[in-house]
């Protein structure tokens, strides 16, 4: 039985200065059932990217069910009340489009890129699988084997897979970010249709979703299609606030060694627990973003590369730094160093420590800071040519607790970062007691073990 069409509440946001300068045309509205929508107009080609984001990821899973969010992502391409197993993707392909999905710690997202006049088609299929998923036990068990094999391929086929999992688990004492998104194998193996559908019914509903459409559309067109396809789906009382275990104060530096006979090049990595962007207060995250670029994010020109790879006392064949700026909860600031042949991991670690200590002592070079900020500005402009990256920009922000205003303001916040901001962020985050240093090593030398 079709439910009555609900009323539509529309709120079109004014654009920030950055958006107006770059010619963006961004709108948002909310259906009465809680579905949020973002429209990004781009009329250069008659195509659209249609995305549905759910505010649920691996960090929202019940204890003992690691990987269920990713597993459900797979099942969403199975049968519904209207479509047969696999028919969703076959229809998209037959209409000249492509589709896929992805799961992270904080969200699960589904997307199609297709001709603009096919938007109604794909939006209708998304609305269908939002509430009518019915894969059947046989398909669930078959897909469970697929996911277990995917885990073996992605994690088990290289020493880096289990190494990264062990390091991530060591970084978090209490928070579910320490679990792998794909899940632990013994818990995946226990999934049933009931397990998956219980998780589905708890999290998949319009009041836990964000519709993002980028491309050759108008606000009015998307609003009409959203009302037509999603408007009759009721909000779900099963959707609850995202309450997660939080990290206690971290008081001790942690170290781990992972040995694997397949290792041909030893590696050192270090992760520090770090805050992410917060709504209305993105300054520290912006400073950390710039810090990562200054230290190790700009190829041969970064401080780490100049010192560790190309300096007179070079110790590394590769090195870098990166930072996770988006997340509902604190994530990490990371370094890695791959030592040159003949250089020990201890020597590489000492060299990394020296780079960090020297930076905290002297602060960023003003010329390098301006160069990095210019690179960030350019990267943001180039991103405007990618429809899906534009859509992802807002989906990632909204599912991480940020707002449209935060997403639009982010480039200006980055632009405002000062040398003092960068140095303050480095001192606050790069503290030994909130770090994990991980060593990826080959098998121990039997002769060494005998001594």
């Amino acid at each position: 039985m079709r439910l009555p069409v609900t009323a539509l509440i529309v709120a079109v946001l004014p654009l920030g200065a950055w958006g107006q300068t770059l010619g963006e045309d961004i709108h948002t509205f909310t259906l009465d059932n809680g579905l949020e929508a973002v429209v990004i107009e781009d009329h250069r080609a008659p195509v659209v990217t249609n995305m549905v984001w759910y505010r649920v990821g691996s960090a929202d899973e019940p204890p003992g069910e690691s990987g269920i969010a990713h597993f459900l992502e797979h099942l969403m391409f199975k049968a519904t009340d209207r479509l047969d197993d696999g028919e969703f993707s076959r229809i998209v392909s037959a209409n000249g489009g492509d589709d896929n999905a992805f799961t992270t710690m904080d969200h699960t997202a589904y997307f199609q890129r297709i001709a603009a006049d096919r938007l109604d088609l794909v939006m209708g299929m998304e609305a269908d699988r939002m509430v009518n998923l019915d894969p059947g036990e046989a398909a669930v068990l078959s897909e469970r084997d697929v996911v277990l094999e995917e885990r073996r391929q992605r994690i088990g086929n290289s020493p880096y897979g289990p190494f990264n999992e062990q390091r991530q688990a060591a970084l978090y004492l209490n928070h579910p970010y320490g679990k792998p998104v794909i899940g632990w194998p013994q818990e995946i193996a226990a999934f049933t249709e009931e397990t998956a559908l219980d998780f589905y019914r708890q999290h998949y509903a319009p009041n836990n979703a964000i519709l993002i459409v980028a491309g050759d559309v108008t606000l009015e067109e998307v609003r009409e299609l959203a009302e037509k396809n999603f408007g009759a789906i009721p909000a779900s009382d099963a959707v609850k606030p995202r309450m997660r275990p939080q990290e206690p104060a971290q008081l001790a530096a942690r170290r781990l060694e992972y040995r694997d006979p397949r290792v041909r090049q030893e590696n050192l990595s270090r992760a520090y627990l770090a805050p992410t962007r917060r709504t209305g207060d993105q300054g520290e995250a912006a400073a950390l973003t710039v810090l990562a670029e200054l230290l190790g994010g700009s190829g041969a020109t970064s401080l780490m590369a100049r010192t560790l790879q190309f300096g007179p006392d070079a110790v590394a064949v590769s090195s870098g730094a990166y930072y996770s700026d988006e997340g509902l909860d604190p994530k990490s600031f990371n370094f890695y160093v791959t030592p040159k042949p003949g250089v020990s991991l201890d020597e590489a670690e000492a060299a990394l420590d020296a780079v960090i200590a020297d930076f905290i002592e002297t602060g960023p070079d003003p010329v390098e800071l301006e160069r990095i900020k210019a690179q960030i500005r350019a990267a943001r402009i180039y991103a405007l040519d990618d429809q899906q990256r534009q859509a992802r920009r807002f989906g990632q922000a909204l599912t991480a607790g940020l707002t449209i205003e935060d997403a639009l303001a982010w480039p200006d916040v980055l632009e405002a970062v000062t040398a003092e901001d960068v140095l303050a962020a480095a001192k606050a985050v790069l503290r030994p007691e909130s770090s994990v240093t991980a060593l990826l090593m080959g098998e121990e030398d039997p002769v060494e073990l005998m001594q």
Side-chain angles (χ1 to χ4, degrees), residues 38-57:
V38 179
V39 182
I40 307 165
E41 294 190 41
D42 178 357
H43 301 288
R44 291 175 294 177
V47 296
V48 294
T49 297
N50 182 68
M51 304 192 80
V52 175
W53 297 68
Y54 292 92
R55 291 184 177 88
V56 60

Side-chain angles (χ1 to χ4, degrees), residues 62-190:
E65 295 181 7
S66 65
I68 191 67
H70 170 258
F71 182 55
L72 182 57
E73 175 212 312
H74 278 241
L75 295 184
M76 287 286 282
F77 293 88
K78 300 299 180 182
T80 70
D81 291 351
R82 287 175 42 195
L83 301 176
D84 292 334
D85 189 343
E87 190 176 2
F88 188 111
S89 293
R90 288 196 295 271
I91 291 173
V92 173
S93 180
N95 281 272
D98 59 81
D99 71 317
N100 215 322
F102 50 89
T103 304
T104 73
M105 298 172 180
D106 292 304
H107 58 250
T108 310
Y110 303 84
F111 66 90
Q112 306 85 40
R113 182 168 169 81
I114 201 163
D117 62 0
R118 301 293 193 276
L119 179 59
D120 186 23
L121 172 68
V122 295
M123 201 180 287
M125 292 194 297
E126 282 288 10
D128 172 50
R129 66 178 174 181
M130 178 181 284
V131 288
N132 294 322
L133 186 65
D134 186 19
E137 185 70 18
V140 169
L141 298 181
S142 174
E143 199 63 28
R144 186 178 68 186
D145 292 339
V146 169
V147 172
L148 284 168
E149 180 59 27
E150 179 185 348
R151 182 186 160 81
R152 283 189 288 268
Q153 292 290 327
R154 287 171 48 187
I155 307 300
N157 266 6
S158 158
Y160 294 98
F163 172 67
N164 290 333
E165 283 190 342
Q166 294 297 311
R167 181 189 58 189
Q168 185 76 5
L171 182 62
Y172 292 96
L173 303 177
N174 192 49
H175 195 283
Y177 282 162
K179 301 182 301 181
V181 172
I182 198 169
W184 299 114
Q186 75 278 10
E187 294 183 350
I188 298 170

Side-chain angles (χ1 to χ4, degrees), residues 274-290:
T276 52
R277 293 162 60 186
R278 295 183 292 269
T279 185
D281 181 17
Q282 302 182 90
E284 186 175 20
L288 289 169
T289 299
V290 173

Side-chain angles (χ1 to χ4, degrees), residues 101-414:
F102 50 89
T103 304
T104 73
M105 298 172 180
D106 292 304
H107 58 250
T108 310
Y110 303 84
F111 66 90
Q112 306 85 40
R113 182 168 169 81
I114 201 163
D117 62 0
R118 301 293 193 276
L119 179 59
D120 186 23
L121 172 68
V122 295
M123 201 180 287
M125 292 194 297
E126 282 288 10
D128 172 50
R129 66 178 174 181
M130 178 181 284
V131 288
N132 294 322
L133 186 65
D134 186 19
E137 185 70 18
V140 169
L141 298 181
S142 174
E143 199 63 28
R144 186 178 68 186
D145 292 339
V146 169
V147 172
L148 284 168
E149 180 59 27
E150 179 185 348
R151 182 186 160 81
R152 283 189 288 268
Q153 292 290 327
R154 287 171 48 187
I155 307 300
N157 266 6
S158 158
Y160 294 98
F163 172 67
N164 290 333
E165 283 190 342
Q166 294 297 311
R167 181 189 58 189
Q168 185 76 5
L171 182 62
Y172 292 96
L173 303 177
N174 192 49
H175 195 283
Y177 282 162
K179 301 182 301 181
V181 172
I182 198 169
W184 299 114
Q186 75 278 10
E187 294 183 350
I188 298 170
F191 291 161
T192 64
E193 182 180 25
E194 181 180 3
T195 307
L197 291 182
D198 281 350
F199 190 79
Y200 170 73
R201 286 187 286 265
Q202 183 177 351
H203 297 286
Y204 278 56
N207 50 318
N208 204 36
I210 303 159
L211 171 70
I212 301 182
V213 181
D216 190 21
V217 293
T218 65
L219 168 64
E220 291 73 20
E221 291 168 343
V222 175
R223 189 170 56 196
E224 180 181 345
L225 292 177
E227 176 63 27
K228 170 187 173 184
N229 290 293
F230 293 99
I233 301 174
S236 171
D237 293 336
V239 175
K240 304 298 182 185
R242 301 171 84 174
M243 304 296 292
R244 297 168 169 178
Q246 296 297 301
E247 281 296 289
Q250 298 199 348
L251 306 177
R254 278 142 286 153
R255 298 180 67 84
L256 68 89
E257 295 181 3
Y258 180 78
R259 292 188 177 273
D260 191 304
R262 297 171 295 177
V263 171
R264 295 294 177 265
Q265 189 106 50
E266 293 190 327
N267 180 269
L268 160 75
S269 71
R270 183 178 295 157
Y272 296 83
L273 200 67
T276 52
R277 293 162 60 186
R278 295 183 292 269
T279 185
D281 181 17
Q282 302 182 90
E284 186 175 20
L288 289 169
T289 299
V290 173
L291 175 65
E293 291 297 316
L294 283 167
L295 289 176
S298 301
T301 61
S302 71
L303 178 59
M304 290 178 65
R306 296 197 313 269
T307 306
L308 302 182
Q309 295 173 236
F310 306 114
D313 300 315
V315 297
V317 295
S318 67
S319 64
Y322 57 97
Y323 162 61
S324 306
D325 66 85
E326 285 183 331
L328 202 61
D329 298 307
K331 287 192 172 175
S332 59
F333 191 101
N334 306 271
F335 296 96
Y336 67 89
V337 180
T338 303
K340 294 170 61 175
V343 176
S344 71
L345 287 173
D346 286 344
E347 291 171 309
E349 184 175 2
L352 172 62
D353 287 338
V355 169
I356 296 172
D358 183 65
F359 184 88
I360 289 177
E361 177 68 24
T362 62
D365 181 294
V367 174
E368 285 299 301
L369 177 59
E370 287 308 309
R371 182 180 63 81
I372 291 300
K373 290 168 74 171
Q375 288 182 349
I376 291 173
R377 285 194 298 269
R380 292 287 171 174
I381 293 171
Y382 295 149
L384 295 175
D385 282 334
D386 189 323
Q387 238 180 52
Q388 190 174 120
R389 284 180 67 183
Q390 278 285 78
R392 286 192 180 210
R393 167 185 161 204
F394 292 101
Q396 288 170 342
L398 292 172
T399 54
L402 300 171
T403 65
I404 293 286
E405 293 93 336
D406 293 325
L408 289 171
W410 179 237
D412 290 334
V413 178
L414 288 168

